[in-house]
């Protein structure tokens, strides 16, 4: 357990950026927030790369130790700080928590990101000059991230990939709704990092997918969203939007 | 901590199948092994699906509790059984361990699997009748896994995806070699689940990539492979090949 200085660098309190903010509020840890404007790709600029050479968001700096990767970061936050535990103590329940997080990270959240970015971000690049697009892409070192941004900038995501993402979103909502019929929280009887991971991306689901995520089609998921919305940590996140 | 019955269902002691076998031997846990022949896709057959509906390998059954997903499974094995700890106690070192595992799982291991399967498995399907291929594909419910198998069966992996996998393998070897110059084990000063995850896939690297993985090009990685090969748990794995 440790106190010390805590600095968190995130974009808007959504998806991966929302995860450490949410967890630190649940643990009641004081920290300094630094806003990184992903909209102008500030995370690909030298100032941010000097902090985190991988250029990923979020970054956590705890007493001079730089930590990346939001999912391992959540486990670190729970282990390194005092406050309410965010992981079940029982190894089987903890395994269930990690399987839910893995499924969200690898399947549901990328699918939601592809659907949302194609609807919201791709149109913004329509009037961007070609040279500016090329310059922006040249700053992205990871080939897979560069491909994602290129497809977005040129509105060129293959139709079958987009269709598969829509299928995963729909299947994901069904599976979450069923899981929440079996237990009150995503890892079972206790609130955990699985709920934090899920709400960081799913909080806007009723607005983004109104025909799939509503009180009739997904009643347990809708109730869970309402319960999550009552948590002070979720309410505090609104303060981190610019 | 718990004893009880332990059943492990794996293919050959390689990649994800090797991980629980290796960890249980390190913990000195007695277990019953069940061989699942992935070569004839026994994991897509009803008998296996009755055990694990997702049809993934490996499956661990501990006192009647069915567990899947080899990476969370490794954390479960370390937490649920007595024996030497396989995770560093310090939260920062544990975070480093999880970041290494995440990188291996998401980038290096899929790249190695694509390279190896295109060289070894794809040619085996050349003489398979069309109807047999279609029947085999129809049994795979997950669309992404079905796509991977379809590309493999028809030797149709796109050239740019294969080139990107070769790049990741080469970059991965460099990065592992540098990391092992900074500390004796992949998560730092102590042997951990990161080393287990790595050796499960990398044990055959000097044979698979002799021009990249040798004592001149990657001296620290070569020394680590030799040290790993001396561990009784690695030597025991040879017993699980059919």
């Amino acid at each position: 357990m440790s106190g010390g200085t805590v600095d968190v660098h995130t974009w808007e309190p959504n998806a991966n950026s929302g995860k450490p903010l949410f967890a630190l509020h649940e643990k009641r840890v004081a920290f300094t927030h630094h806003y990184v404007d992903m909209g102008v790709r500030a995370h690909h600029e030298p100032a941010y790369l000097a902090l985190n050479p991988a250029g990923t968001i979020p970054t956590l700096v705890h007493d001079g130790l730089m930590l990346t990767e939001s999912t391992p970061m959540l486990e670190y936050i729970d282990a390194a700080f005092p406050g309410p535990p965010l992981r079940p103590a029982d190894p089987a329940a903890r395994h269930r928590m990690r399987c839910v997080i893995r499924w969200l990270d690898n399947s549901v959240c990328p699918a939601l990101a592809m659907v949302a970015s194609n609807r919201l971000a791709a149109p913004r690049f329509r009037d961007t000059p070609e040279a500016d697009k090329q310059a922006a892409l040249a700053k992205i070192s990871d080939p897979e991230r560069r491909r994602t941004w290129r497809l977005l900038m040129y509105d060129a995501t293959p139709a079958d990939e987009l269709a598969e993402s829509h299928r995963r979103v729909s299947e994901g909502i069904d599976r979450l709704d069923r899981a929440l019929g079996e237990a009150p929280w995503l890892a079972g009887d206790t609130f955990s990092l699985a709920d934090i991971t899920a709400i960081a991306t799913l909080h806007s689901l009723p607005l983004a997918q109104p025909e799939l995520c509503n009180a009739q089609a997904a009643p347990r998921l809708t109730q869970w969203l309402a319960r999550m919305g009552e948590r002070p940590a979720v309410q505090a996140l609104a303060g981190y939007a610019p």
Side-chain angles (χ1 to χ4, degrees), chain A residues 6-242:
Chain A
V6 181
D7 289 85
V8 188
H9 303 254
T10 80
W11 191 39
E12 295 181 20
N14 179 36
N16 289 341
S17 281
K19 286 150 73 175
L21 296 173
F22 191 155
L24 289 165
H25 273 282
E26 287 281 345
K27 302 288 280 185
R28 294 160 207 151
V29 174
F31 63 91
T32 304
H33 182 247
H34 307 264
Y35 179 76
V36 185
D37 192 349
M38 208 161 97
V40 297
R41 294 175 300 285
H43 58 311
H44 300 151
E45 296 298 333
Y48 190 77
L49 295 173
L51 171 76
N52 169 359
T56 54
I57 294 175
T59 299
L60 172 70
V61 185
H62 181 204
D63 281 342
L65 176 73
M66 193 276 288
L67 300 125
T68 64
E69 296 291 332
S70 61
T71 291
M73 190 185 291
L74 286 179
E75 299 236 24
Y76 176 85
I77 288 169
D78 193 40
F81 296 101
L86 303 177
R87 296 175 295 180
D90 171 53
R94 201 172 277 203
H95 177 268
R96 181 172 172 182
M97 176 194 86
R98 291 193 179 114
C99 286
V100 171
I101 291 173
R102 202 173 168 80
W103 169 65
L104 290 166
D105 278 357
N106 294 352
S107 180
V108 182
C109 293
L112 272 166
M114 182 183 281
V115 168
S117 64
N118 272 274
R119 194 178 53 219
L120 302 174
R124 283 189 217 146
F125 289 106
R126 257 173 222 152
D127 300 323
T128 304
E130 176 66 20
D132 292 2
K133 289 182 187 173
Q134 291 298 331
L137 290 172
K139 288 181 186 164
I140 308 171
S141 59
D142 182 79
E144 193 158 333
R145 286 175 205 272
R146 197 164 57 234
R147 174 178 186 264
T148 302
W149 279 94
R150 192 181 64 235
L151 293 175
L152 207 57
M153 287 180 179
Y154 293 93
D155 206 359
T157 303
D160 63 334
E161 290 187 33
L162 203 52
E164 169 60 10
S165 288
H166 279 286
R167 192 197 63 76
R168 285 185 185 205
V169 169
S170 172
E171 183 196 70
I173 290 171
D174 281 350
R175 190 167 147 187
L176 289 164
D177 195 61
R178 278 200 308 276
L180 291 165
E182 290 162 17
W185 303 106
L186 289 175
D189 291 333
T190 53
F191 173 81
S192 79
L193 298 179
D195 300 287
I196 290 179
T197 300
I199 195 68
T201 295
L202 305 185
H203 62 91
S204 60
L205 205 54
L207 288 173
Q209 303 287 336
E211 70 292 354
L212 297 173
C213 187
N214 61 59
Q216 283 71 48
R220 280 82 54 111
L221 180 57
T222 304
Q223 285 157 21
W224 173 87
L225 284 165
R227 269 189 290 138
M228 291 297 283
E230 289 163 8
R231 295 184 86 87
V234 172
Q235 295 173 358
L237 292 197
Y240 296 95

